Amino acid sequence: MDTEARSGVKKSRLNRHMRGIWLVLLPVMVLLMFMLGWGLGLFTEIEEEPYISETSNQIVVGVSQLGSESGWRTANTESIQRAISKENGFFLIYNNARQKQENQIKAIRNFISQRVDYIVLAPVVESGWETVLQEAKQAGIPVILMDRSVEVEDQSLYTALVGTDSVEEGRKAGRWLEEYLIKKRMSDRDINIVVLKGTEGASAQIGRTAGFSMIAGEHDNWHILEQQYGDFTIYKGKEVMKDLLKKYKDIDVVVSQNDDMTFGAIEAIRESGKTVGVNGDITIISFDAVHDALEMVAEGVINVDIECNPDQGEYVSEVIRLLESGQEVEKRYYVEEDVFTMENVTQEVLDGRTY
Ligand code: GYE
């Protein structure tokens, strides 16, 4: 055999050998790939979250809370967790967004993919919700807003709002100041005011600012020296107040849009050597009326506290019950609210205040 022929024989033997290897290897590889795919769940349908099927007779509710910035917020969270409970026939999936809208959007998308029955949203800011609310609507999941509201053109993007009338709260603060100045025979004097606003873009802040400004606008002698964001927190309230005290030597009134900022502001004022409250240098107007703040109202440290009721959980669960039984619900449910001064903070009020 010449060399060419010999190499031809070698090649065909080699080919046969290779084919033999492949014949064994190929089925093994296919089997291995199949087993791998099976292990990864590629050949089975994506399963529902197990608890949803386990809770078929419970109403599944996803709650997106905006954060935990204040005593009021803690009470609001407790209220919704109490109402949307197992004992009441609900299965709650709770998420705290830590003041970030993007976290709330993520949570809502998560609720949608888990096919919850209802979504409860306490929105940190007012705008930027269209897309995600549209997604919930397309998935057929009703959205109930709690506490704060959203700014959307299409009102059908949410089913109902359970909250407070923040514009009215701001007006109440203004009207109280009007009456107070009349009583003190100071209604003709120049009054210097600073405003500690809550979170930028939050409906509670926007409403309270607008409501108070409406009344302030009716008085030429009321001068709003400056308004600054204090994020509804003690820390920021103190920082902002310190800054304002440095800038203005003659502040008469502080309008602080929640009790936490008020606590911080009072610390800053006292540290600057000034006094607060009923017989003090600076009149304090606060919002929320949590227990510790009401004690300070009773002591005359805070002049007035415009109540904002965080007990909204029961109203939310009531709205869900109505929807479950196929009934119409109102678009807005406002909870009842009072105005507290030294005169009406009784021991009974203090004892009854659980937050
Ligand atoms: O006043 C404040 C909280 O949105 C009404 O948010 C709520 C406000 C409340 O952090 O304390």
Side-chain angles (χ1 to χ4, degrees):
M1 246 188 260
D2 59 15
T3 39
E4 214 171 290
R6 222 177 288 144
S7 92
V9 170
K10 245 193 213 162
K11 252 189 215 160
S12 79
R13 237 186 257 147
L14 195 68
N15 277 347
R16 230 179 295 135
H17 185 63
M18 285 298 286
R19 232 179 286 137
I21 290 177
W22 274 113
L23 275 175
V24 179
L25 217 58
L26 209 64
V28 172
M29 279 171 72
V30 169
L31 189 73
L32 275 175
M33 277 166 71
F34 185 79
M35 283 169 69
L36 187 70
W38 187 66
L40 290 173
L42 298 179
F43 302 109
T44 49
E45 279 217 329
I46 291 174
E47 265 184 305
E48 300 262 358
E49 289 288 326
Y51 47 76
I52 301 231
S53 51
E54 281 164 20
T55 57
S56 52
N57 55 351
Q58 290 180 332
I59 304 166
V60 182
V61 183
V63 174
S64 169
Q65 177 59 287
L66 63 92
S68 47
E69 71 285 359
S70 64
W72 189 97
R73 184 67 48 200
T74 307
N76 182 243
T77 298
E78 282 169 7
S79 169
I80 191 73
Q81 289 179 338
R82 224 180 300 124
I84 307 296
S85 64
K86 225 181 190 171
E87 300 74 59
N88 294 341
F90 294 103
F91 187 90
L92 168 68
I93 309 172
Y94 176 82
N95 182 270
N96 177 347
R98 298 171 204 287
Q99 307 299 320
K100 290 212 171 83
Q101 183 177 34
E102 64 198 73
N103 289 347
Q104 295 203 280
I105 292 175
K106 240 187 254 165
I108 294 171
R109 294 204 164 122
N110 202 11
F111 297 154
I112 296 172
S113 72
Q114 292 184 56
R115 303 198 202 132
V116 299
D117 298 310
Y118 295 89
I119 291 171
V120 175
L121 166 66
V124 61
V125 290
E126 214 177 47
S127 58
W129 297 102
E130 263 94 357
T131 310
V132 76
L133 291 184
Q134 193 66 47
E135 288 167 25
K137 193 184 169 187
Q138 261 153 19
I141 304 170
V143 174
I144 298 157
L145 301 177
M146 177 175 72
D147 164 28
R148 299 183 187 170
S149 65
V150 297
E151 186 68 47
V152 285
E153 238 173 64
D154 177 1
Q155 295 301 307
S156 77
L157 289 180
Y158 65 91
T159 305
L161 161 79
V162 173
T164 58
D165 186 346
S166 53
V167 177
E168 180 54 20
E169 289 167 355
R171 275 196 227 110
K172 281 180 184 168
R175 285 194 214 106
W176 176 84
L177 185 58
E178 267 176 349
E179 282 169 28
Y180 178 75
L181 293 173
I182 292 172
K183 255 191 251 156
K184 290 234 148 194
R185 299 176 191 282
M186 283 167 62
S187 53
D188 295 332
R189 289 229 205 124
D190 281 328
I191 305 293
N192 291 331
I193 304 166
V194 293
V195 181
L196 307 192
K197 302 200 284 184
T199 304
E200 187 170 7
S203 68
Q205 176 274 119
I206 294 170
R208 287 171 188 172
T209 306
F212 184 76
S213 302
M214 275 175 210
I215 309 293
E218 294 168 9
H219 300 275
D220 294 340
N221 57 323
W222 292 18
H223 310 292
I224 297 183
L225 303 174
E226 197 169 325
Q227 318 200 37
Q228 275 197 40
Y229 295 112
D231 299 346
F232 288 128
T233 65
I234 297 185
Y235 175 79
K236 200 72 203 285
K238 183 169 182 179
E239 191 184 281
V240 165
M241 194 65 227
K242 260 190 184 168
D243 181 54
L244 291 167
L245 285 161
K246 258 186 236 145
K247 282 194 200 159
Y248 308 101
K249 299 289 158 225
D250 48 0
I251 297 170
D252 299 307
V253 179
V254 173
V255 179
S256 164
Q257 290 181 351
N258 86 338
D259 286 337
D260 291 77
M261 290 192 297
T262 303
F263 300 149
I266 290 173
E267 263 182 50
I269 295 168
R270 285 176 167 163
E271 282 170 18
S272 80
K274 293 203 167 171
T275 55
V276 291
V278 175
N279 296 312
D281 305 321
I282 299 180
T283 298
I284 306 287
I285 299 178
S286 191
F287 292 80
D288 282 356
V290 299
H291 181 274
D292 293 358
L294 285 184
E295 270 187 343
M296 293 167 96
V297 173
E299 289 159 7
V301 174
I302 294 173
N303 296 71
V304 64
D305 211 327
I306 316 298
E307 186 181 28
C308 180
N309 189 343
D311 277 335
Q312 299 165 348
E314 260 180 54
Y315 290 83
V316 172
S317 64
E318 189 50 35
V319 169
I320 293 178
R321 297 239 176 266
L322 288 172
L323 291 169
E324 281 293 296
S325 61
Q327 295 184 58
E328 287 277 308
V329 295
E330 311 249 333
K331 198 77 189 177
R332 278 165 188 264
Y333 291 83
Y334 285 142
V335 289
E336 263 185 53
E337 293 170 333
D338 220 326
V339 172
F340 289 110
T341 61
M342 239 178 165
E343 283 80 51
N344 62 348
V345 179
T346 57
Q347 195 54 45
E348 206 189 329
V349 170
L350 283 174
D351 292 345
R353 188 100 336 188
T354 52
Y355 50 87

